Amino acid sequence: MTSETLWRTTARETFTAPPLAADRTIDLAIIGGGFTGCAAALEAARQGASVCLLEAQTIGHGGSGRNVGLVNAGLWLPPDTVRAQTGEAAGTKLLATLAEAPSRVFALIDRESIDCEPTRNGTLHLAHAAKGLADLTDRHSQGRAMGAPLDLLDATETTRRTGSTAFHGALFDPRAGTIQPLSYVRGLARAATQAGAHLHEKSPVQSITRQADLWHITSGPHTLRARRLLVATNAYHLALGPAFRPAFVPVHYCQYATDPLPPARRDSILPQGEGCWDTALVMSSVRRDRAGRIIIGGIGNGTGPGSRVHAAWARRKLAALYPALKDIPLTHGWTGRIAMTRDHIPKIIAFGPDAYAIFGYSGRGIGPGTVFGTQAAQALLSDSETPLPLAPIKQHKETAPAAQAAYFETGACLTHALTAR
């Protein structure tokens, strides 16, 4: 099994950019080349601003290029919980904005001709047990009350949609879909460059300071002087000096993929192409790509001490869902990091004048990342918080994030060692 992400193997969008090679004074500096940063760079450039994005590795190196590829509407939390944690008005605004996130993602894909396997056939939130179906029934009621076009499916219909008898039902969201995530973020980067943005790979930031009315961002021997600053590093943040450090719990998510299955074997598995995830506490996901590969994912670090446990679980999970595939090998395995916050609400931190940091999508990076990045660029360039989907705060703290991360990984290892046997 190769440890290279499937998405790097299959990406049709290509993108390369040189390291930062000169000092520059600009309107907006962006740190981080994922969904948020690239969407912000594209929006800022289309508005005519001078913008420069610095990525320490390559575009999509972090969570954006390791994503499951589900373009979801909303957050991981049910709507009533979102409003309870943010307040009625703020929660309603956030939910309404993110309800449109899939439409905005697929519209960007169309507008910029991004070759990323866009499939807008909805998603299925799968009930792994009877209690999971009760949870989905509640989510269905809450979503319908907000006007979301959700359908609650029984076990029979879920079996027809998934090709598996393992589930008690599902919540279908027709607004959502799937993409090839690395191709998508590379396509955003390409479009941003074509619009006039300057993107630089292999350009890690050593320090950020505020001097007079400008932010000074150093990368190697060069300095960007920027009127406005967006930090969009999410779970792949590097030390940037005392200016800002995000607080989140790093949670790993591993994925495993087969080679393309012959049509006779794959046609009954997710025949309509929905992307899926389940209601289990240690969540798992399943989807197909356009070539007919089956991709199984779950919480856990596939490159850490528990790597063999997670890989063995994935093989058993595939066989449990689809017994006809029990002898099909998994040829790709990879892991990404998720920035989890205690309340599972994304954070916009105003850590200085004309400066935002955005992080904490808790596993929902594509839709929220695209929307938050786009609207952060609008807010910074207009000197107004009004475009933001969520009001910025001055700081966010997490209690013992390292201990919480160890707890999640230990739980994932124990669950994966004991289940799907």
Side-chain angles (χ1 to χ4, degrees):
M1 181 189 301
T2 178
S3 60
E4 182 179 44
T5 68
L6 173 66
W7 310 133
R8 287 192 177 275
T9 302
T10 64
R12 292 194 171 187
E13 286 281 349
T14 60
F15 182 84
T16 59
L20 182 66
D23 295 350
R24 186 176 289 134
T25 300
I26 53 175
D27 294 320
L28 174 63
I30 300 169
I31 303 173
F35 301 130
T36 304
C38 290
L42 174 58
E43 177 65 17
R46 284 176 59 85
Q47 288 195 29
S50 56
V51 55
C52 185
L53 182 150
L54 301 180
E55 164 56 46
Q57 298 292 335
T58 57
I59 295 299
H61 168 81
S64 297
R66 303 165 192 268
N67 197 279
V68 176
L70 305 186
V71 187
N72 286 304
L75 295 173
W76 183 70
L77 299 170
D80 287 358
T81 305
V82 173
R83 285 193 292 258
Q85 298 199 101
T86 62
E88 184 69 25
T92 299
K93 177 183 178 181
L94 177 61
L95 290 166
T97 300
L98 294 183
E100 296 298 318
S103 292
R104 296 180 67 170
V105 169
F106 287 106
L108 268 177
I109 291 169
D110 288 342
R111 189 187 77 194
E112 305 298 341
S113 300
I114 300 175
D115 191 356
C116 64
E117 303 184 17
T119 304
R120 198 174 186 186
N121 289 344
T123 54
L124 294 168
H125 194 176
L126 302 168
H128 78 293
K131 65 179 180 180
L133 183 58
D135 175 58
L136 294 183
T137 301
D138 187 39
R139 287 173 181 261
H140 175 256
S141 177
Q142 292 182 35
R144 296 286 290 190
M146 292 190 62
L150 306 177
D151 288 327
L152 188 65
L153 310 182
D154 63 16
T156 301
E157 178 64 10
T158 301
T159 296
R160 189 186 73 81
R161 297 282 190 99
T162 62
S164 174
T165 60
F167 304 106
H168 293 243
L171 188 61
F172 173 64
D173 189 340
R175 300 170 295 179
T178 64
I179 59 173
Q180 211 277 22
L182 181 59
S183 279
Y184 174 61
V185 72
R186 285 178 175 177
L188 291 177
R190 169 184 55 78
T193 300
Q194 291 170 344
H198 296 275
L199 276 64
H200 298 283
E201 298 179 312
K202 301 295 183 181
S203 300
V205 171
Q206 282 82 44
S207 68
I208 301 173
T209 58
R210 180 77 176 178
Q211 300 179 30
D213 294 329
L214 296 175
W215 290 99
H216 288 235
I217 303 102
T218 62
S219 177
H222 301 293
T223 299
L224 293 179
R225 293 174 292 276
R227 298 172 184 86
R228 302 164 183 89
L229 173 62
L230 175 64
V231 176
T233 51
N234 205 34
Y236 286 77
H237 188 82
L238 301 177
L240 304 179
F244 175 74
R245 179 177 292 277
F248 59 85
V249 178
V251 176
H252 290 86
Y253 198 87
C254 52
Q255 296 183 74
Y256 304 87
T258 69
D259 277 336
L261 301 179
R265 304 198 75 173
R266 72 182 187 231
D267 285 351
S268 63
I269 300 173
L270 295 167
Q272 297 180 54
E274 301 98 334
C276 309
W277 76 105
D278 67 20
T279 55
L281 180 61
V282 179
M283 188 193 80
S284 62
S285 59
V286 60
R287 61 162 294 190
R288 279 175 46 175
D289 72 354
R290 185 167 289 176
R293 298 175 181 87
I294 307 302
I295 305 159
I296 296 287
I299 293 175
N301 186 354
T303 60
S307 59
R308 292 186 179 180
V309 171
H310 299 311
W313 162 83
R315 293 185 186 94
R316 297 195 308 273
K317 183 71 172 180
L318 180 64
L321 294 179
Y322 304 107
L325 303 184
K326 65 179 181 179
D327 297 323
I328 296 295
L330 297 170
T331 57
H332 288 76
W334 69 99
T335 297
R337 284 200 305 272
I338 295 169
M340 190 82 73
T341 61
R342 63 177 176 267
D343 58 4
H344 307 298
I345 301 291
K347 306 303 173 194
I348 304 176
I349 309 297
F351 64 90
D354 303 312
Y356 294 141
I358 301 177
F359 62 93
Y361 298 123
S362 296
R364 287 290 182 97
I366 297 174
T370 300
V371 169
F372 274 62
T374 299
Q375 296 184 205
Q378 295 168 355
L380 286 165
L381 294 175
S382 66
D383 298 316
S384 170
E385 296 178 2
T386 302
L388 293 174
L390 193 65
I393 57 178
K394 294 299 182 184
Q395 63 177 349
H396 171 73
K397 295 181 179 181
E398 291 286 340
T399 302
Q404 290 190 63
Y407 171 81
F408 279 114
E409 180 61 23
T410 299
C413 282
L414 290 173
T415 299
H416 286 173
L418 298 173
T419 57
R421 289 190 176 276

